[in-house]
Amino acid sequence: MADVTASDNDFPWRSVVTSIFLPTLLFSIGEGAILPILPVVASQLGSGLAGAGLIAAMVVVGELVGDVPAGAIVSRVGERVSMIGAALLASIGVGVSLAAATPWVLGVGIFLIGLATSVFALARHAFMTSYVPLTYRARALSTLGGTFRLGYLIGPFLTAAVVSSTGEASSAFWIQLAGCAGTGIVLLLLRDPEASLRRPTMDAIADPGATELAAESRGLLTTIRANGRVLATVGTGSALVAALRASRQVLLPLWAVSIGLGETSTAVIIGIAGAVDFALFYAGGWIMDRFGRQWVAVPSMVGLGIGHLVLAATHDLPAPVAWFVAVAMFLSLANGIGAGMLMTIGADLADPADPAPFLGAWRFTNDSGAALAPLVISGVTALASLPAAAAVLGLMGLGGAAILRRHLPRYSTKP
């Protein structure tokens, strides 16, 4: 369908930058600002280490739950309205989090933020899948992933500055509130991105974004059953990718708490790691477009797996802070090269004439893995220790690399 909307030479990148990338950046800055301090805020409200991990996990649990209605929502109201609504819902979650007097109320607020993130993410992914020419697909989706990573780079540094000046870790929530407000304002002031890319030659064709997303309302479970084989193989590998990525967002802040780092130092270290993550996003897209998807997918997963295993072995070594910094940078290097990887593979596997049903199932599969990782961290930490949780995740990462190496060439249009 992308071939109908724009040729490789006349695709209006400027419109995409302002309509999709800028709101994504603002939204992700807000989310990136709160992730490093969630375990700290939970601990201040009386939660233990395992409980703090569970509360931090509510972001990805909310995303998983939100995947079920997200397609129908975007189909009914459109991409721009969906993103504006997601920003509003995230603002409500921030308000609940700021008012929280117990860890569980904080968890409710974080869960709402996760729900909002799911709707926002599906709207932007479906839009890019519909309109970007295949020749540019990996680079465009890697750039979208890079925009998200840029927000994760900026957000922690803003948190470090605000927390340093206020002395309150919870003040980072105000950064997210500002990011949500900025997202809504930009989307209200700009033209509808779908309308801005519509071509006269498409007059006889149904609105692609609405048509595709309407198809998703036929049922998530039906789509999963229809694509059971690919989701059980490549989907399992992608879910493990998502798990390892999500684990970093929970494990690193928890690790910082466990070795006694303050919230400002934690935010700065995670922000620097975000810079490493961000720096590689375009390189990964270029490699995928030039050589194939597995040349990024497998090395990225091997690196994430090894990084978690090394982290597990360093908790009680001398100079744990130095080890923490080194492993955080290595994990960002491994993750950064894979920017946009899951979105690209999902777009490859989807039916070009009707991608949204599969993309909904694909996102649900990936977010299942993302939701699993923080729960693994919390559960293994409660039963054994935080290093044991890191080791389990490291083994999961290596297993995911093996699955992708075996099955991705069988299904991807550009393995």
Side-chain angles (χ1 to χ4, degrees):
M1 182 170 294
D3 294 337
V4 176
T5 60
S7 71
D8 291 353
N9 294 325
D10 67 1
F11 186 70
W13 287 105
R14 182 177 299 177
S15 178
V16 172
V17 168
T18 55
S19 300
I20 296 295
F21 291 159
L22 182 55
T24 298
L25 176 62
L26 294 171
F27 193 87
S28 60
I29 286 173
E31 190 167 359
I34 67 166
L35 290 176
I37 55 87
L38 290 180
V40 176
V41 175
S43 297
Q44 291 173 348
L45 293 176
S47 178
L49 198 61
L54 182 61
I55 290 170
M58 288 298 103
V59 173
V60 288
V61 172
E63 290 183 36
L64 176 64
V65 174
D67 284 340
V68 177
I73 292 171
V74 179
S75 173
R76 180 177 295 275
V77 303
E79 288 143 351
R80 182 176 66 164
V81 174
S82 295
M83 289 190 283
I84 293 172
L88 178 60
L89 179 59
S91 299
I92 294 172
V94 169
V96 173
S97 301
L98 283 169
T102 68
W104 302 114
V105 175
L106 175 64
V108 171
I110 304 307
F111 178 79
L112 292 177
I113 293 170
L115 287 176
T117 301
S118 177
V119 175
F120 192 94
L122 179 62
R124 66 190 182 185
H125 189 189
F127 173 85
M128 297 291 279
T129 299
S130 299
Y131 286 102
V132 176
L134 179 61
T135 304
Y136 296 129
R137 174 177 286 169
R139 278 166 284 181
L141 291 174
S142 292
T143 302
L144 182 61
T147 304
F148 189 75
R149 284 162 165 77
L150 180 58
Y152 271 36
L153 162 62
I154 297 171
F157 284 115
L158 293 178
T159 293
V162 170
V163 172
S164 179
S165 61
T166 64
E168 293 290 335
S170 61
S171 60
F173 285 110
W174 292 103
I175 301 173
Q176 185 174 27
L177 193 61
C180 291
T183 299
I185 291 170
V186 168
L187 288 168
L188 285 170
L189 293 178
L190 292 176
R191 292 181 63 191
D192 187 332
E194 195 173 318
S196 69
L197 290 184
R198 189 169 292 131
R199 296 286 190 270
T201 57
M202 295 175 60
D203 289 344
I205 302 174
D207 180 344
T211 300
E212 291 165 7
L213 288 166
E216 189 177 340
S217 64
R218 289 197 300 262
L220 178 64
L221 294 179
T222 300
T223 305
I224 291 174
R225 285 194 297 268
N227 296 275
R229 180 170 295 181
V230 67
L231 292 175
T233 53
V234 181
T236 298
S238 72
L240 290 171
V241 173
L244 270 289
R245 288 178 171 179
S247 73
R248 294 166 56 248
Q249 300 170 8
V250 176
L251 184 64
L252 292 181
L254 278 176
W255 203 274
V257 170
S258 72
I259 61 176
L261 270 179
E263 52 264 33
T264 300
S265 298
T266 300
V268 169
I269 292 169
I270 291 177
I272 295 172
V276 175
D277 205 330
F278 169 72
L280 296 170
F281 75 88
Y282 193 81
W286 182 85
I287 292 171
M288 284 190 286
D289 276 338
R290 179 69 177 83
F291 298 104
R293 312 322 190 197
Q294 66 177 327
W295 289 94
V296 164
V298 175
S300 177
M301 279 299 280
V302 169
L304 287 171
I306 291 174
H308 280 78
L309 290 172
V310 172
L311 186 66
T314 62
H315 189 275
D316 297 322
L317 294 180
V321 174
W323 280 107
F324 173 72
V325 172
V327 173
M329 301 308 148
F330 179 79
L331 289 171
S332 293
L333 180 68
N335 190 60
I337 198 68
M341 174 176 66
L342 295 183
M343 290 187 290
T344 301
I345 294 173
D348 288 343
L349 297 173
D351 180 356
D354 188 20
F358 181 82
L359 289 181
W362 181 254
R363 294 193 66 86
F364 183 82
T365 301
N366 293 339
D367 287 345
S368 296
L372 174 65
L375 299 178
V376 168
I377 293 172
S378 180
V380 176
T381 299
L383 294 174
S385 66
L386 192 59
V392 170
L393 288 163
L395 295 175
M396 290 169 59
L398 297 180
I403 291 171
L404 290 173
R405 177 65 184 88
R406 176 176 176 82
H407 294 288
L408 188 56
R410 298 183 179 182
Y411 293 100
S412 177
T413 56
K414 194 168 184 179

